Amino acid sequence: MKIAVFPGSFDPVTRGHESIVRRSLPLFDKIVVAIGVNADKSGYFPLEKRMEWLKQAFHDLPQVSVESYNGLTVDFCKKTGADYIIRGLRTSADFEFERSVAQVNLKLVPEIETVFLLTLPEYVMVTSSIVREVHRHGGNIDQFIPEQISI
Ligand code: ADP
């Protein structure tokens, strides 16, 4: 069984994230969307809310589950039985950062491969940090978040 983990902060989940998960479906039998919990950084939205929105966003997909984890992503993958990590690439800056992370992860656990999907052009500017900024100042974020959720 091909299991992949899609790790991130999902603070909050966006249409960009949703698109990556839906486009990954044909590649894997099971996708675990996993919120990495960072002890030093609590996030803008509470963890429980971020989990709830992810569950609602992928409610129609039985092969997608939502979890959270502490510690290294590769350790969570081992625990989950996942051999793949999914990441999305928007810009060349994303690429430079993601390359280092993926190469370090390969050093730590050579059996776990990171698979990158390029963002659809319409979602290049959809970042959680911009969505948070619009939300913080009272703007409408509906067009950036999955249709199935309301924040
Ligand atoms: P992190 O803090 O780990 O980057 P994010 O929640 O911001 O967590 O992102 C999780 C993953 O989703 C990353 O691989 C990121 O590149 C990808 N991603 C974020 N926004 C988009 C988008 N608009 N299109 C495609 N991938 C995206």
Side-chain angles (χ1 to χ4, degrees), residues 6-12 14-17 20 41 86-90 94 97-98 117-120 123-128:
F6 182 37
S9 315
F10 305 104
D11 189 18
T14 67
R15 290 193 187 192
H17 297 131
I20 294 289
K41 224 174 53 176
I86 301 170
R87 295 289 287 176
L89 290 179
R90 287 162 301 197
D94 270 357
F97 175 74
E98 294 294 339
L117 269 77
L118 288 180
T119 309
L120 294 183
Y123 298 133
V124 168
M125 80 311 178
V126 181
T127 69
S128 292

Side-chain angles (χ1 to χ4, degrees), residues 10 28 35 58 82 127 147-148:
F10 305 104
F28 305 103
I35 301 181
F58 302 119
T127 69
E147 266 178 53
Q148 311 82 290

